[in-house]
């Protein structure tokens, strides 16, 4: 890399004068994020970089040859972005969903998380991220819960502040997403256009609170707009294409970069196609487009160019967007005066999250640890189906749940107990087998899980599995559910006196069994207010 990071780019010259010297191709390129990397794409990206005609690149962190080739061509402060919601993709540090981080809810955990990301990202040549997520939860929602700090706007604000402060200190671009919120949306917008029935007042008083909190503390250099339609604000367009919705935060003073969410998502493609959405998004107030990663980079850029030539957005709007992008580039080009240092203690703190996030929700007088004879207990551990993948194109959540590892740990801690495994899609033979086995025990402990990724459509357990658990709960046999994943998944279950939540870190699966065995305290707090039966 030709010294982009840590070098002060020319900020003395007036932006208006700088923009006046740019070609139309250079200006349009500032509004574009390259995010496809076949050989023809790489060649086009390099060509654009040589012209200083590219504003942003979402580099694939796991492909060093590609990243090295592209970084070697950069001699101006392009925004080099990667999605680091759980940590930098190639880092050896533990991947931590915000749900687990929020269950610990201590400053040192947030700081260590952010410092680790900054260290690894900058070492790899990156200068920004699309995060922290500042969505405020309104209840259960697909591809959402594990990515959100809280259902309380101020808790979201305070959590995001700790992370964004570290990012700013290191001149690492942060991004609040997914503007303006809409946590009541029942659909995954990777799959279809979402909708929210929140009013403008409700959005301002609830969902936008974290954005404005960060903005007033100078911790909001950019936002990402969602593909959700706010039907009571603009019934015609999703927020990513709605001037009305984007103007809400602009009218409150925000003048940073607005990224669109991915144009690869069906929330935008199914209804609008691809040819015209680039121009529509810029006209609405977005400053950088995240094109469809399935479309060749040159072809996507030509769509943006044609939209401009056809008059989809004005020269004034183009120049405004370029100014914002240049401002962000100038920010990441500056050498931090007081950069953070990721210490050995920070690393230890990150590894403690898997243990300290474990949360117990129990009836009054019921301890987190199991009591009574081990031989009276039957553990039923849910297994994932072998043919169901867990890695999405846009929300990367690698396989993390290991039923066999959990079963082995259970036998170590409860050697006289019974153990059975049940598929997450059990058939009638599976059900009859575990129900009959349960007749021989006084107490049943279920170990359940549900995973999250894009295009999955739900973060909850299967209806079949819910029925098996409820049948045994109806017989007053189920004393405990130890659950990994979305806590809302337990809402459909009948009353169970002991619920232990291990969230979504692999190491938490061992620690959670230690809590049941009385060897470890459950220190975590449920990040959301959930009404269980």
């Amino acid at each position: 890399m030709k010294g982009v990071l840590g070098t002060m780019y020319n900020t003395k010259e007036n932006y208006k004068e700088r923009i006046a010297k740019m070609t139309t191709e250079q200006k349009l390129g500032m509004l574009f994020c390259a995010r496809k990397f076949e050989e023809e794409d790489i060649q086009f990206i390099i060509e654009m970089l040589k012209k200083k005609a590219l504003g942003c690149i979402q580099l694939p962190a796991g492909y060093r040859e590609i990243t090295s080739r592209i970084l070697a061509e950069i001699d101006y402060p392009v925004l080099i972005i990667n999605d680091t919601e759980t940590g930098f993709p190639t880092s050896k540090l533990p991947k931590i969903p915000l749900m687990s981080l929020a269950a610990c809810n201590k400053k040192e955990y947030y700081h260590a998380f952010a410092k680790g990301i900054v260290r690894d990202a900058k070492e790899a040549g990156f200068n920004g991220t699309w995060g922290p997520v500042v969505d405020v939860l309104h209840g259960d929602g697909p591809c959402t819960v594990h990515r959100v700090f809280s259902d309380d706007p101020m808790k979201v604000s305070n959590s995001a502040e700790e992370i964004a402060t570290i990012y700013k200190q290191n001149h690492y671009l942060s991004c609040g997403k997914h503007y303006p919120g809409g946590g009541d949306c029942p659909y995954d917008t990777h799959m279809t256009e979402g909708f929210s029935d929140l009013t403008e007042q409700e959005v301002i008083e609830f969902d936008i609170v974290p954005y404005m909190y960060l903005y007033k503390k100078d911790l909001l250099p950019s936002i990402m707009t969602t593909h959700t339609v706010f039907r009571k604000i603009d019934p015609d367009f999703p927020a990513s294409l709605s001037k009305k919705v984007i103007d809400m935060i602009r009218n409150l003073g925000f003048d940073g970069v607005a990224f669109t969410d991915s144009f690869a998502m069906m929330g935008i493609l199914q209804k609008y196609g691809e040819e015209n959405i680039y121009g529509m998004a810029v006209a609405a107030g977005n400053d950088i487009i995240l094109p469809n990663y399935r479309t060749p980079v040159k072809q996507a850029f030509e769509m943006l160019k044609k939209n401009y030539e056809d008059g989809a957005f004005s020269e004034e709007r183009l120049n405004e967007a370029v100014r914002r992008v240049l401002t962000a580039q100038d920010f990441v080009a500056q050498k931090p005066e007081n950069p953070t240092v990721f210490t050995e203690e920070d690393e230890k703190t990150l590894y403690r999250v898997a243990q300290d996030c474990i949360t117990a929700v129990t009836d009054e007088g019921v301890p987190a640890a199991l009591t009574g004879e081990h031989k009276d207990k039957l553990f039923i551990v849910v297994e994932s189906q072998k043919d169901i993948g867990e890695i999405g194109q846009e929300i990367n959540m690698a396989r993390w749940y290991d039923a066999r590892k959990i079963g082995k740990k259970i036998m170590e801690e409860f050697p006289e107990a019974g153990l059975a495994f049940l598929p997450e899609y059990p058939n009638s033979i599976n059900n009859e087998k575990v129900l009959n086995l349960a007749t021989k025990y006084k107490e049943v402990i279920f170990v359940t899980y549900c995973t999250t990724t894009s295009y999955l459509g739900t973060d909850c357990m299967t209806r079949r599995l819910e029925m098996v658990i409820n049948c045994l709960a109806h017989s007053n046999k189920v004393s405990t559910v130890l659950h990994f994943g979305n806590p809302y998944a337990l809402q459909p279950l009948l009353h169970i006196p002991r619920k232990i939540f291990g969230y979504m870190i692999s190491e938490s699966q061992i620690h959670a069994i230690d809590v049941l065995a009385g060897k470890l305290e459950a220190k975590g707090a449920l990040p959301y207010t959930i009404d269980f039966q």
Side-chain angles (χ1 to χ4, degrees), residues 18 21 26 36 71 154 200 226 230 237 273 312 329 385 430 439 477:
R18 288 169 61 180
K21 294 179 179 180
Q26 286 176 319
K36 190 175 189 293
L71 291 173
M154 285 313 302
E200 181 172 352
T226 180
F230 287 76
F237 298 105
Q329 291 181 343
Q385 305 295 97
N430 302 141
T439 64
K477 284 256 178 149

Side-chain angles (χ1 to χ4, degrees), residues 385-521:
Q385 305 295 97
K386 296 293 188 294
D387 60 342
I388 296 178
E390 296 178 357
I391 301 179
Q393 286 285 348
E394 307 227 44
I395 305 299
N396 292 313
M397 182 56 62
R399 294 184 183 275
W400 56 275
Y401 178 78
D402 190 337
R404 295 293 161 171
K405 180 177 74 173
I406 292 170
K408 181 180 178 181
K409 175 66 173 176
I410 288 171
M411 287 292 93
E412 290 174 0
E413 301 300 333
F414 301 90
E416 296 181 349
L419 175 65
F421 294 93
L422 185 66
E424 60 182 326
Y425 291 90
N427 60 32
S428 59
I429 295 174
N430 302 141
N431 289 344
E432 182 182 8
K433 182 178 178 180
V434 297
L435 291 169
N436 182 58
L437 184 60
T439 64
K440 299 174 174 58
Y441 294 87
K442 295 179 180 179
E443 182 180 355
V444 174
I445 299 97
F446 271 95
V447 180
T448 61
Y449 98 109
C450 50
T451 196
T452 297
T453 187
S454 54
Y455 297 98
L456 195 59
T458 178
D459 297 354
C460 291
M461 295 186 290
T462 66
R463 294 281 296 276
R464 293 183 188 182
L465 185 57
E466 289 173 4
M467 181 57 72
V468 176
I469 298 172
N470 276 337
C471 286
L472 284 170
H474 183 70
S475 303
N476 295 319
K477 284 256 178 149
V478 182
S479 71
T480 308
V481 172
L482 169 54
H483 181 70
F484 301 98
N486 178 10
Y488 281 91
L490 301 194
Q491 270 194 314
L493 302 183
L494 296 177
H495 176 69
I496 294 167
R498 180 188 293 106
K499 292 173 280 290
I500 308 295
F501 295 99
Y503 308 108
M504 288 176 64
I505 304 176
S506 294
E507 292 75 14
S508 295
Q509 293 159 46
I510 298 301
H511 296 313
I513 302 298
D514 283 334
V515 168
L516 289 181
K519 297 172 64 175
L520 189 67
E521 179 186 356

Side-chain angles (χ1 to χ4, degrees), residues 321-337:
V322 172
R323 172 181 61 79
R324 290 177 180 146
V325 176
L326 291 177
T327 302
Q329 291 181 343
D330 289 344
F331 169 74
V332 300
Q334 295 177 47
K335 185 177 181 178
E337 294 182 4

Side-chain angles (χ1 to χ4, degrees), residues 252-291:
L252 291 169
F254 174 72
D255 192 37
V257 171
F259 292 90
T260 68
D261 207 341
S262 170
F263 279 175
M265 294 165 64
M266 298 304 147
I268 203 84
L269 285 180
Q270 291 286 15
K271 185 173 181 179
Y272 297 97
E274 197 170 350
E275 291 186 1
N276 299 316
I277 53 178
Y278 297 87
M280 294 170 68
V282 175
N286 293 283
D287 305 303
I288 297 182
I289 308 298
L290 271 62

Side-chain angles (χ1 to χ4, degrees), residues 79-363:
L79 300 177
I80 309 296
I81 305 289
N82 201 287
D83 230 336
T84 57
E85 288 188 17
T86 62
F88 192 72
T90 59
S91 175
K92 294 180 180 179
L93 296 173
K95 300 299 183 289
I96 303 175
L98 297 189
M99 176 172 63
S100 298
L101 200 61
C104 297
N105 196 31
K106 291 183 179 179
K107 286 185 178 182
E108 58 263 36
Y109 294 93
Y110 295 124
H111 291 172
F113 176 75
K115 287 164 68 177
I117 288 173
V118 168
R119 182 201 66 176
D120 293 333
K122 285 208 165 189
E123 285 180 356
F126 291 74
N127 55 27
T129 185
W130 292 306
V133 175
V134 293
D135 294 333
V136 184
L137 208 62
H138 287 248
D140 192 17
C143 203
T144 299
V145 177
H146 82 290
R147 307 166 67 196
V148 177
F149 289 116
S150 178
D151 49 12
D152 181 327
M154 285 313 302
K155 287 184 180 179
V156 172
S157 300
N158 294 332
S159 300
E161 178 186 7
E162 301 302 333
I163 293 173
T165 297
I166 298 295
Y167 289 166
K168 180 184 177 183
Q169 185 177 347
N170 291 277
H171 283 258
Y172 183 74
L173 189 77
S174 61
C175 178
K177 64 179 186 181
H178 306 79
Y179 174 82
D184 60 328
C185 177
Y187 295 112
D188 174 9
T189 52
H190 294 92
M191 300 178 70
T192 188
E193 183 179 80
F195 66 86
S196 170
D197 285 323
L198 299 174
T199 65
E200 181 172 352
Q201 194 66 25
E202 288 172 331
V203 170
I204 290 174
E205 293 179 354
F206 195 82
D207 286 59
I208 292 184
V209 167
Y211 292 91
M212 297 313 299
Y213 180 89
L214 295 175
Y215 164 70
K216 290 175 182 177
K217 290 180 174 287
D218 195 24
L219 295 172
L220 190 69
S222 68
I223 62 172
M224 177 180 283
T225 57
T226 180
H227 299 319
T228 296
V229 176
F230 287 76
R231 299 191 291 197
K232 295 182 179 178
I233 302 173
D234 184 350
D236 299 320
F237 298 105
S240 53
L241 301 181
S242 172
K243 189 175 187 303
K244 291 180 182 178
V245 176
I246 295 175
D247 276 353
M248 287 169 58
I249 195 167
R250 296 295 189 199
N251 293 337
L252 291 169
F254 174 72
D255 192 37
V257 171
F259 292 90
T260 68
D261 207 341
S262 170
F263 279 175
M265 294 165 64
M266 298 304 147
I268 203 84
L269 285 180
Q270 291 286 15
K271 185 173 181 179
Y272 297 97
E274 197 170 350
E275 291 186 1
N276 299 316
I277 53 178
Y278 297 87
M280 294 170 68
V282 175
N286 293 283
D287 305 303
I288 297 182
I289 308 298
L290 271 62
N292 185 348
Y293 57 73
R294 306 178 191 92
T295 302
V297 175
K298 183 176 181 179
Q299 182 181 338
F301 180 74
E302 289 298 325
M303 290 180 191
L304 173 63
K305 184 178 178 182
K306 186 177 188 302
N307 286 181
Y308 168 72
E309 291 171 346
D310 290 346
F313 54 94
S314 67
E315 187 76 14
E316 181 182 11
R317 172 78 270 273
L318 172 61
N319 291 342
E320 179 184 54
V322 172
R323 172 181 61 79
R324 290 177 180 146
V325 176
L326 291 177
T327 302
Q329 291 181 343
D330 289 344
F331 169 74
V332 300
Q334 295 177 47
K335 185 177 181 178
E337 294 182 4
N338 185 29
T340 57
V341 176
F342 185 78
T343 66
E344 184 178 337
E345 186 57 38
D346 289 323
E347 185 168 353
K348 290 179 181 177
T349 298
L350 285 183
Y351 277 100
R352 284 203 308 271
V353 171
Q355 173 178 308
D356 291 352
C357 72
I358 308 298
T359 303
V361 178
T362 65
D363 288 359

